[in-house]
Amino acid sequence: MEEDTHYRIRFSSLCFINEHVGFQGTIKSSPGDFIVIEIDEQGQLVNKAIDEPINAVSKIPELNSFAKKPKLDLQNLSFEDGSYQELNTLSRCSDGDQNHQSNSEKEDTISDRAFNCEEENDDVLNFFLDEKTNELLNQFACDVKEKWNSETELIGPSPEFSLGRILDKNQRAILHSAIRQKFPFLITVGKNSEVVIKPNLEYKELCHLVSEEEALDFFKYLDAKKENSKFTFKPDANKDHRKAVHHFVNKKFGNLVETKSFPEQTYSACDPNVVITVRFREKTKHKKRSLLECQERKVIYTAFTLRKENLEMFEAVGFLAIKLGVIPSDFTYAGLKDKKAITYQAMVVRKVTPERLKNIEKEIEKKRMNVFNIRSVGKPLRLGQLKGNHFDIVVRNLQNQINDSVNLRERIFEAIENVKNKGFVNYYGPQRFGKGRKVHTDQIGLALLKNEMVKAIKLFLTPEDLDDPVNRAKKYFLQTEDAKGTLSLMPEFKVRERALLEALHRFGMTEEGCIQAWFSFPHSMRLFYIHAYSSKIWNEAASYRLETYGSRVVEGDLVCLDEDVDEHFPSTKVHLVTEEEESANTYTIHQVVLPVLGYNIQYPKNQVGQWYQETLSRDGLQTCRFKVPTLKLNIPGCYRQILKHAHNLSYQLMGDHDVKMEGSHIDESTLSLLISFNLDASCYATVCLREVMKYDI
């Protein structure tokens, strides 16, 4: 793959709003030269101590200590007819207390239990259905099985059998469960109080992959929905066959269960059998719950401030997830932070108590991380839930621009005062696009928008021209597409790469396999790549707008009518400038906004709008709806102000290695600039500095 030389000049070609000369310098000589502190919605710096006892929620138990409500509690049903009490004993069958293993040392016990369940299901059906209906139901089931066994395809619509209308909701629930347990090859459907029975085509499909006995047991397991239970298919030494079973279960029931392969307990080198184990995913909240039950099942959320040094945020989250026994998507945060810096940001982790988080404090210090301000909260964070960021930055090796002989101090003063007064162009920073020389995050995002899943995977795993373990592993993958072999080469700290490779090893390097692999990333990270592409387009659009019209507000521009807004304001607050408003100079350039790509935005009605359409056509997105259903991604879009201001900006000149000013004269050859300021959320300090210095840092 050729190096993207165009990209390297792409950011440097973006125009400025100020006309001063600027100066040169170096940032991020060390992480301590670039300090970022998040400002929360209340305007407080998140590195300040919070006066709240850490053990305030010490009595909150772990999630797994909560008792799960059974799917159907027959013992607690209230019927008018006292004879219904006979059904109390059947709750044992509906709740399903077995572990549902088709190949177990307790085979006899399970068989006895299954036999008892079948008898009890018969009792339920005999109790609720008259003799004729029960006989017709059994005949319907036999007919379905006979046709399947004869291998003749069912012609026309799928056959149905109706039990008629059953008004009592509890009776319907009992019948649904009993029929599915007795006849796993059938499904039941509710239609206006009517119970309708149909062939279970998914059962038939599974029978092509596993034995009928396994298929029966698997669908019984699915219907029982017993929390923390597992189902295990018979040992299988055929890797391709196991892949097919994994694929079937995840495709049909992936929102309900997850699958994993494990070596059989009696594993030996000469008998390399592997079993596929199925377990239920953690359930999301139910729509109907009593207040008491909601309180009992309330998810634990622990908030904290994360300090990290010279560490990518996703890498930090991955490391914390491993140490806490959760997954990266259990962490929420308000925004992404720089890698080569010391950063402070608020985070919330789900399913972890404050005490548990405190227990890993010493361990994570080795990874240049600290956690503090640990406390219990009631909900997660969301992206954008911050007021902004505070920056303390040291710019070293200051010098004049080439062929500029004016006093350097005057140039620095002039530049900072200009940006103080006029602001800076609100570009997305270059770190949003990654530091790779061959592939950038916006290229991956474009591939995802075009549903080119395999291409997106290959772009993600494209190596740089460096001879290190990570790039050697990536190079091996592109040459072989051997996910398992690449995993053995990929360093443990590359959490995202390893997660992707594990999924590819499991699902294969097919289009469907690559889709499943992208689901190994949290939703926010899948969005990150698409947002990177949208950000690249916005940057180019903003530069084109300023080059075309300058600081004038012209007809067809979009302006925001509110003074204090973030990016996520609705289209109703966006106004299209008219010819009369242009003539009257009704609006200023600081009110002009441009759309960030999505399905719910409008474009300017001037040359800038035409530029957007031509650019989308160039990239093959002329018909793109900005939705990627296969990855569960919807991109509504938003608006972003062209210009922004730095707040509370202050600065001082100092000796290159001095923290404080000491002495009188400073040698300009070792001059450094310490600059501090606040920026609104989603603004970039490197972009602000670029405008100040007129130099691509």
Side-chain angles (χ1 to χ4, degrees):
M1 183 178 296
E2 292 186 2
E3 191 172 304
D4 185 9
T5 52
H6 171 67
Y7 177 83
R8 286 183 290 153
I9 64 169
R10 192 164 59 199
F11 201 86
S12 62
S13 65
L14 300 176
C15 74
F16 299 96
I17 192 66
N18 290 279
E19 296 178 357
H20 59 261
V21 175
F23 54 93
Q24 296 183 15
T26 305
I27 67 166
K28 297 188 178 182
S29 297
S30 69
D33 282 356
F34 202 94
I35 298 174
V36 187
I37 307 170
E38 202 167 82
I39 305 171
D40 65 21
E41 289 184 308
Q42 286 70 48
Q44 301 298 312
L45 297 172
V46 300
N47 66 332
K48 301 299 182 185
I50 295 176
D51 297 325
E52 181 176 331
I54 288 172
N55 60 358
V57 290
S58 59
K59 294 184 180 179
I60 295 181
E62 294 291 341
L63 274 183
N64 56 16
S65 67
F66 292 128
K68 173 84 173 173
K69 185 177 179 182
K71 180 187 174 190
L72 180 62
D73 188 356
L74 292 165
Q75 292 181 342
N76 294 323
L77 291 180
S78 174
F79 296 102
E80 293 181 2
D81 187 348
S83 62
Y84 279 34
Q85 297 296 325
E86 297 173 20
L87 296 175
N88 285 349
T89 57
L90 301 185
S91 61
R92 292 192 302 275
C93 181
S94 294
D95 291 346
D97 58 350
Q98 66 267 31
N99 196 40
H100 284 93
Q101 291 186 339
S102 62
N103 187 37
S104 167
E105 294 175 4
K106 299 181 180 179
E107 190 174 320
D108 293 338
T109 307
I110 293 176
S111 297
D112 291 342
R113 229 180 258 151
F115 178 73
N116 291 335
C117 281
E118 286 180 16
E119 279 194 332
E120 289 163 352
N121 284 321
D122 283 337
D123 290 341
V124 171
L125 296 175
N126 289 334
F127 188 91
F128 283 112
L129 303 178
D130 60 63
E131 186 177 347
K132 183 178 179 182
T133 304
N134 208 347
E135 185 179 326
L136 290 171
L137 171 61
N138 281 280
Q139 186 59 51
F140 176 78
C142 289
D143 290 345
V144 170
K145 285 297 289 291
E146 281 180 11
K147 286 185 178 180
W148 280 355
N149 291 337
S150 66
E151 298 183 356
T152 58
E153 293 296 326
L154 296 170
I155 299 173
S158 181
E160 294 182 359
F161 177 75
S162 174
L163 298 182
R165 295 190 68 198
I166 299 171
L167 299 179
D168 190 298
K169 183 179 179 181
N170 292 316
Q171 288 185 34
R172 290 200 305 272
I174 293 169
L175 281 170
H176 278 294
S177 180
I179 292 168
R180 287 172 179 267
Q181 287 289 319
K182 184 177 180 182
F183 306 112
F185 53 89
L186 301 178
I187 57 172
T188 59
V189 181
K191 291 183 180 178
N192 299 321
S193 301
E194 181 184 8
V195 177
V196 178
I197 302 155
K198 300 179 179 181
N200 186 346
L201 300 180
E202 289 164 348
Y203 170 90
K204 183 183 180 185
E205 190 175 342
L206 182 59
C207 283
H208 292 307
L209 296 172
V210 300
S211 68
E212 187 171 350
E213 176 192 0
E214 289 176 280
L216 279 167
D217 289 345
F218 173 72
F219 279 95
K220 285 183 179 180
Y221 162 78
L222 279 185
D223 184 67
K225 291 187 176 68
K226 177 162 175 61
E227 186 185 26
N228 297 325
S229 64
K230 296 179 181 178
F231 175 84
T232 304
F233 287 100
K234 290 179 180 178
D236 187 354
N238 187 321
K239 181 180 176 182
D240 291 334
H241 183 260
R242 292 197 307 271
K243 275 188 178 181
V245 176
H246 277 299
H247 179 76
F248 171 83
V249 174
N250 282 284
K251 183 178 180 181
K252 301 291 186 182
F253 311 104
N255 61 333
L256 184 64
V257 297
E258 57 186 355
T259 64
K260 284 191 176 180
S261 292
F262 297 98
E264 192 183 7
Q265 288 183 354
T266 58
Y267 174 84
S268 66
C270 60
D271 183 24
N273 275 342
V274 175
V275 294
I276 296 174
T277 296
V278 184
R279 67 176 182 180
F280 285 103
R281 294 186 184 277
E282 182 184 340
K283 284 195 174 183
T284 55
K285 60 185 180 181
H286 294 284
K287 290 182 180 178
K288 295 181 181 179
R289 275 187 182 162
S290 67
L291 179 60
L292 178 62
E293 189 180 0
C294 284
Q295 291 172 345
E296 287 177 350
R297 294 180 177 275
K298 188 176 181 180
V299 176
I300 297 169
Y301 291 104
T302 295
F304 61 97
T305 296
L306 172 69
R307 178 195 185 275
K308 63 179 182 67
E309 180 178 342
N310 200 26
L311 196 63
E312 189 185 48
M313 201 199 78
F314 290 120
E315 186 180 337
V317 167
F319 186 79
L320 288 171
I322 291 170
K323 294 301 175 186
L324 293 169
V326 293
I327 57 177
S329 58
D330 285 323
F331 290 84
T332 51
Y333 38 83
L336 305 179
K337 297 292 178 279
D338 299 74
K339 177 186 176 181
K340 194 172 182 180
I342 295 175
T343 67
Y344 298 82
Q345 67 187 115
M347 280 200 172
V348 174
V349 60
R350 191 168 65 111
K351 300 185 292 186
V352 174
T353 62
E355 293 71 30
R356 190 164 155 209
L357 183 57
K358 275 190 67 65
N359 286 340
I360 68 165
E361 281 183 305
K362 295 291 184 186
E363 213 171 342
I364 65 175
E365 284 178 5
K366 303 171 188 175
K367 202 65 173 161
R368 304 180 303 281
M369 287 191 286
N370 301 94
V371 290
F372 56 98
N373 287 339
I374 303 170
R375 64 207 183 277
S376 177
V377 292
K379 57 185 179 181
L381 280 170
R382 55 177 172 76
L383 283 172
Q385 193 177 340
L386 74 165
K387 191 169 185 179
N389 293 284
H390 172 79
F391 297 89
D392 294 315
I393 300 170
V394 178
V395 186
R396 299 192 186 275
N397 307 318
L398 297 174
Q399 53 185 307
N400 288 81
Q401 301 280 23
I402 297 172
N403 299 324
D404 179 30
S405 58
V406 175
N407 180 275
L408 178 58
R409 296 167 188 269
E410 291 181 14
R411 285 298 191 210
I412 293 171
F413 177 79
E414 172 196 39
I416 292 175
E417 290 303 315
N418 271 359
V419 173
K420 256 187 177 182
N421 295 328
K422 200 168 183 180
F424 61 94
V425 187
N426 192 24
Y427 296 122
Y428 289 98
Q431 59 266 48
R432 193 168 182 106
F433 311 105
K435 293 187 177 180
R437 296 171 66 86
K438 286 193 172 181
V439 174
H440 302 90
T441 53
D442 58 281
Q443 294 170 273
I444 298 172
L446 176 59
L448 293 177
L449 279 172
K450 295 168 78 171
N451 275 294
E452 296 172 342
M453 299 301 166
V454 176
K455 180 180 179 181
I457 291 286
K458 289 182 177 180
L459 286 170
F460 180 82
L461 292 171
T462 295
E464 297 294 324
D465 291 327
L466 298 171
D467 189 26
D468 59 62
V470 174
N471 284 293
R472 284 198 295 269
K474 288 182 175 181
K475 185 176 180 181
Y476 174 80
F477 179 81
L478 286 195
Q479 289 172 342
T480 64
E481 295 189 1
D482 174 13
K484 185 178 181 181
T486 309
L487 263 173
S488 66
L489 299 173
M490 186 65 68
E492 291 289 337
F493 70 88
K494 300 303 288 184
V495 177
R496 281 179 293 166
E497 286 80 356
R498 290 187 63 83
L500 198 77
L501 288 166
E502 285 171 358
L504 290 174
H505 171 51
R506 183 174 169 187
F507 298 107
M509 192 60 184
T510 61
E511 192 77 15
E512 181 65 29
C514 289
I515 290 170
Q516 293 297 328
W518 281 111
F519 276 104
S520 67
F521 286 3
H523 181 267
S524 59
M525 181 139 192
R526 299 197 299 274
L527 272 178
F528 169 76
Y529 289 103
I530 291 178
H531 285 166
Y533 172 76
S534 300
S535 302
K536 185 204 94 166
I537 298 302
W538 191 94
N539 279 359
E540 294 173 359
S543 185
Y544 177 81
R545 162 65 181 76
L546 292 172
E547 287 172 347
T548 305
Y549 298 117
S551 296
R552 294 183 302 120
V553 180
V554 301
E555 180 184 0
D557 270 339
L558 298 173
V559 293
C560 180
L561 302 179
D562 282 10
E563 291 184 5
D564 187 22
V565 294
D566 60 14
E567 287 190 12
H568 303 285
F569 53 90
S571 293
T572 53
K573 293 185 178 180
V574 175
H575 171 71
L576 198 66
V577 176
T578 64
E579 183 180 359
E580 293 77 14
E581 289 168 334
E582 177 187 351
S583 301
N585 294 319
T586 307
Y587 304 104
T588 68
I589 187 65
H590 289 90
Q591 293 173 283
V592 175
V593 298
L594 286 175
V596 180
L597 298 175
Y599 61 79
N600 196 29
I601 51 99
Q602 60 174 315
Y603 294 101
K605 300 290 185 182
N606 51 30
Q607 291 184 50
V608 181
Q610 185 179 348
W611 178 92
Y612 268 102
Q613 299 304 326
E614 291 172 354
T615 302
L616 290 176
S617 295
R618 176 200 72 192
D619 289 346
L621 295 177
Q622 58 268 37
T623 59
C624 180
R625 298 177 60 194
F626 293 96
K627 296 183 180 183
V628 189
T630 51
L631 296 184
K632 298 184 178 178
L633 298 178
N634 292 319
I635 304 92
C638 58
Y639 299 90
R640 185 175 175 90
Q641 289 172 291
I642 289 182
L643 298 185
K644 278 285 188 177
H645 279 94
H647 312 291
N648 302 324
L649 192 153
S650 64
Y651 67 98
Q652 70 177 100
L653 293 171
M654 61 185 189
D656 198 24
H657 300 292
D658 295 335
V659 177
K660 297 180 180 178
M661 292 283 288
E662 293 182 5
S664 53
H665 180 70
I666 299 174
D667 183 359
E668 288 199 354
S669 64
T670 61
L671 199 63
S672 291
L673 170 69
L674 172 60
I675 184 167
S676 298
F677 50 84
N678 296 346
L679 291 180
D680 294 338
S682 194
C683 293
Y684 290 80
T686 48
V687 170
C688 178
L689 284 176
R690 176 181 180 269
E691 186 81 42
V692 170
M693 298 169 66
K694 291 291 188 76
Y695 178 70
D696 286 304
I697 46 183

